Coordinates of all heavy atoms in Angstrom, one line a residue:
M24 N -2.8 -0.8 2.2 CA -1.8 0.1 2.6 C -1.3 -0.2 4.0 O -0.1 -0.1 4.3 CB -2.2 1.5 2.5 CG -1.1 2.5 2.4 SD -0.1 2.3 0.9 CE 1.5 3.0 1.5
V29 N 3.2 -2.3 7.4 CA 3.6 -3.3 8.3 C 4.8 -4.1 7.7 O 5.8 -4.4 8.4 CB 2.5 -4.3 8.7 CG1 3.0 -5.5 9.5 CG2 1.5 -3.6 9.6
V39 N 19.0 -2.2 4.8 CA 20.1 -1.4 5.2 C 20.9 -2.0 6.4 O 21.8 -1.4 6.9 CB 19.7 0.0 5.6 CG1 19.1 0.7 4.4 CG2 18.7 0.0 6.7
F44 N 22.6 -11.8 5.7 CA 21.4 -12.6 5.6 C 20.1 -11.8 5.5 O 19.2 -12.0 4.7 CB 21.3 -13.6 6.7 CG 20.1 -14.5 6.7 CD1 19.9 -15.5 5.8 CD2 19.0 -14.2 7.6 CE1 18.8 -16.3 5.7 CE2 17.9 -15.0 7.5 CZ 17.7 -16.0 6.6
A95 N 6.5 -4.1 -1.2 CA 7.8 -4.1 -1.8 C 8.2 -2.7 -2.2 O 9.4 -2.2 -2.0 CB 7.8 -5.0 -3.0
P109 N 21.8 12.3 6.7 CA 23.2 12.6 6.6 C 24.1 11.8 7.5 O 23.7 11.5 8.6 CB 23.3 14.1 7.0 CG 21.9 14.6 6.7 CD 21.0 13.5 7.0
E114 N 27.0 9.6 13.0 CA 28.2 9.8 13.7 C 28.0 10.5 15.0 O 28.6 10.2 16.1 CB 29.2 10.6 12.9 CG 29.7 9.9 11.6 CD 30.5 10.8 10.7 OE1 30.6 12.0 11.0 OE2 30.9 10.3 9.6
L132 N 15.5 7.2 12.3 CA 14.1 7.0 11.9 C 13.2 8.3 12.0 O 12.4 8.6 11.1 CB 13.5 5.9 12.7 CG 13.8 4.5 12.1 CD1 13.1 3.4 13.0 CD2 13.4 4.3 10.7
A179 N -22.4 3.4 -21.0 CA -21.0 3.4 -20.7 C -20.5 4.8 -20.3 O -19.7 4.9 -19.3 CB -20.2 2.8 -21.8
V182 N -21.8 5.8 -16.8 CA -21.3 4.9 -15.7 C -19.8 5.1 -15.4 O -19.4 5.4 -14.3 CB -21.6 3.4 -16.0 CG1 -20.9 2.5 -15.0 CG2 -23.1 3.2 -16.0
F197 N -7.8 11.3 0.1 CA -6.6 10.6 0.6 C -5.4 11.6 0.7 O -4.6 11.6 1.6 CB -6.3 9.4 -0.2 CG -7.1 8.2 0.2 CD1 -7.8 7.4 -0.8 CD2 -7.2 7.7 1.5 CE1 -8.5 6.3 -0.5 CE2 -7.9 6.6 1.8 CZ -8.6 5.9 0.8
V208 N 3.5 16.1 11.3 CA 4.9 15.6 11.6 C 5.9 16.7 11.5 O 6.9 16.7 12.2 CB 5.2 14.4 10.6 CG1 6.6 14.0 10.7 CG2 4.3 13.2 10.9

Side-chain angles (χ1 to χ4, degrees):
M24 200 63 207
V29 168
V39 297
F44 175 75
E114 294 170 1
L132 277 180
V182 172
F197 279 129
V208 171

